Amino acid sequence: MDRVLIEGLAVETVIGVYAWERSIRQRLVLDLELATDIRPAAADDDLAHTLDYAAISARIGDFATHSRFELVETFAERLAALLREEFAIAWLRLTVRKPGAVAEAHAVGVRIERGEIT
């Protein structure tokens, strides 16, 4: 199975467990691998036959704008479920990083895989 990549996608959202975090928007950085067969799109040079990374990126931005979670884990799980449902993605790997959350680290975060590659 082929993979469509979206790397380093920055979004702003309300995320965090501390009271001060609940009143500000913070930056998350996402990397995605989305399983699909790109051969039909390549054969016809037709975007309609593949995953539209611009549309997916826009949907992620909209999701982040309207989300208010305490945990990065919750953000990742809900986003993965939404993307799989709305874009018929059989398998994905999603990494969500929260830069600056720990002063001694460049970023902290989670990486999840959901679905099956057929």
Side-chain angles (χ1 to χ4, degrees), residues 2-59:
D2 306 311
R3 312 270 171 88
V4 170
L5 304 176
I6 301 172
E7 296 180 337
L9 180 65
V11 297
E12 299 283 326
T13 192
V14 175
I15 189 92
V17 297
Y18 301 110
W20 65 268
E21 291 181 295
R22 310 302 299 150
S23 64
I24 64 169
R25 301 187 74 70
Q26 296 186 71
R27 185 172 184 249
L28 298 178
V29 179
L30 286 61
D31 293 329
L32 295 97
E33 291 184 41
L34 313 166
T36 191
D37 182 353
I38 68 165
R39 290 174 293 188
D44 296 336
D45 200 25
D46 188 347
L47 178 61
H49 295 130
T50 191
L51 296 173
D52 182 342
Y53 49 79
I56 293 168
S57 297
R59 184 63 180 101

Side-chain angles (χ1 to χ4, degrees), residues 41 70 82-83:
E70 291 187 6
L82 176 135
L83 293 175

